[in-house]
Amino acid sequence: DIFNNIIRGIGNNFNRTPKIEFVNTENNPAYFSPKKKTIYIENKVINLFKNNPDYDHIMAYLLSHELAHHYLNHAWMKNIDFAYSSTDAARSVTNYLIDQTDGGQRKEDETQADVFAGFYAKISGYDALNFGKMCLNKIYSEYKVPEEIPGYPSLDERIEIIQSNITKTNELAEIFYIGNLALVVGDYSLANNCYNEIWNNNFSSREIFNNLGVTSLLKAISLLDAEKSKYTFPLYIDQNTRAENNISRSGESTDLIDLLKDAEDYFSKSIEKDEAYLPAKINRLNTEFLLNLVSNKLDKNFYNTLESNIHLDQSRVNDLMVLYKIFSNKKPKSKDIKLGSAVSKLNYEIYNQEKDFVSKNISIDKYDKIDDEYLLWITKPYKEYRGLKILVKEYENYKLINYRNDKYIFRITDKIYLKEISEIAESLQISKVFELNSKIYKTIDSNKIVFEYDSNDKLISVIQH
């Protein structure tokens, strides 16, 4: 389960997911075989930590570190099959490393692996790096691994690498999480800034590029004229949603086209990371549709392009074909609607003006224990990300995220309040459902409230914004 959670957090970007196998050997606690594309975990190391209350975090460190070597494609590991070396294995790795001259590269790779491991474990729900030092000390002791291996970072150096990266990975994970929240609540500019910050720190995954593309695409949709923007586009950002746009309609058409071209570039980068990544392919097709729409080039050739891509996702591509007919003044047929998703039905109702799209007011009690100090000033201690103009303060039962001076997101974790909400959540009218990493977000736009669930469908927080 821990392995699968981290894989979902990473998003299987870069290259194919490795396998995991549990083995009864007792000389290599956790290691990655590049040749077999497999991570091996010894039952001995599982037994070593199984009674530790922080077992999940410890295993997350071991697994995410080995996954990092796989996803980062560290070339120096090609001829060896272990990252943690016992006495016998140490002699083998020494024989390999002794002939290598670039020990600095291996140290840099271990640093990269720990930053990668810490970040992706963190966004998957595990505090891996905070348990790295304890984990390594115990493994080196129990497995009698030499603290010094020629050409390889020493135990002290590995611990130093871990300790020096804890703060950085925690900050990056929080920025990524804030970016996800911003996307969910509809603040696409904030989301874009957060994802760019992650990208600037070398986490250029397919999901990061796809999310960046989505933020640009949603901004562009918000700039369409009212007649076009009233329709829903089948973007790949959630399960069953009409994308609401909270950005004011302003700007010239050149701004809109620039945004669409930016989105197209991000989706192409996402696909370069994973040629089979469906969300980016569908989102790029949406972008091409909009570029043709605003340039008055929705012609038969583009319709043929849509038809040729029907194999990607029949319902979503059909949704675009229905929109093509609407914008080309060709009335869609009932069979066209049946071949599409709920988006086609929604657009058909808009086209026929059969439905009033005014959100209903839902009766739900907002959390009333938020300190009103934020209305005047926010007292220390708090964390501040100056480059992003974000301030984060932890309270006993909630977290405050302040950005652009007067914008606020509250993440509430009060157990009593969550229990109350859980009992009524199923009866509430949900506007949208987002799946981001290992979290599920269900939104109620009329109340500016979002429910955050873990992968087991347990309510873990309520977001007010």
Side-chain angles (χ1 to χ4, degrees), residues 236-248:
Y236 234 116
I237 55 176
D238 56 85
Q239 293 174 328
N240 54 2
T241 142
R242 173 174 171 81
E244 301 291 343
N245 300 297
N246 296 332
I247 298 178
S248 59

Side-chain angles (χ1 to χ4, degrees), residues 155-323:
L155 173 60
D156 286 343
E157 286 177 317
R158 294 200 67 181
I159 290 173
E160 181 185 345
I161 289 169
I162 291 170
Q163 297 298 106
S164 64
N165 285 307
I166 288 175
T167 300
K168 180 180 179 180
T169 54
N170 286 348
E171 288 182 351
L172 289 176
E174 182 156 59
I175 290 168
F176 182 77
Y177 179 74
I178 292 171
N180 285 350
L181 287 186
L183 191 62
V184 169
V185 304
D187 196 312
Y188 308 123
S189 295
L190 175 61
N192 186 74
N193 291 341
C194 290
Y195 294 139
N196 265 304
E197 182 70 13
I198 304 301
W199 181 17
N200 291 338
N201 280 274
N202 300 316
F203 288 98
S204 55
S205 73
R206 65 178 192 175
E207 282 77 16
I208 292 293
F209 285 132
N210 184 62
N211 286 355
L212 280 165
V214 166
T215 59
S216 294
L217 188 50
L218 287 172
K219 283 184 186 179
I221 290 171
S222 76
L223 295 175
L224 293 172
D225 62 55
E227 184 59 31
K228 294 183 180 72
S229 65
K230 70 182 181 182
Y231 291 102
T232 298
F233 294 85
L235 309 187
Y236 234 116
I237 55 176
D238 56 85
Q239 293 174 328
N240 54 2
T241 142
R242 173 174 171 81
E244 301 291 343
N245 300 297
N246 296 332
I247 298 178
S248 59
R249 288 185 168 82
S250 61
E252 303 299 325
S253 60
T254 52
D255 297 329
L256 189 156
I257 291 190
D258 286 344
L259 284 166
L260 289 172
K261 288 182 176 178
D262 284 346
E264 189 174 43
D265 183 51
Y266 285 132
F267 296 136
S268 295
K269 284 184 168 66
S270 179
I271 294 166
E272 285 174 12
K273 290 290 183 183
D274 183 348
E275 292 180 359
Y277 188 44
L278 183 61
K281 287 185 173 185
I282 295 298
N283 287 337
R284 187 169 66 178
L285 201 58
N286 273 274
T287 307
E288 291 171 7
F289 184 100
L290 283 160
L291 278 167
N292 281 278
L293 176 64
V294 299
S295 303
N296 296 314
K297 294 180 180 178
L298 274 186
D299 54 20
K300 183 64 176 177
N301 287 334
F302 186 71
Y303 188 81
N304 292 338
T305 298
L306 292 176
E307 283 189 319
S308 68
N309 282 283
I310 198 75
H311 64 282
L312 292 176
D313 184 322
Q314 182 172 356
S315 62
R316 277 187 168 90
V317 175
N318 195 82
D319 291 338
L320 286 172
M321 294 166 74
V322 168
L323 282 170

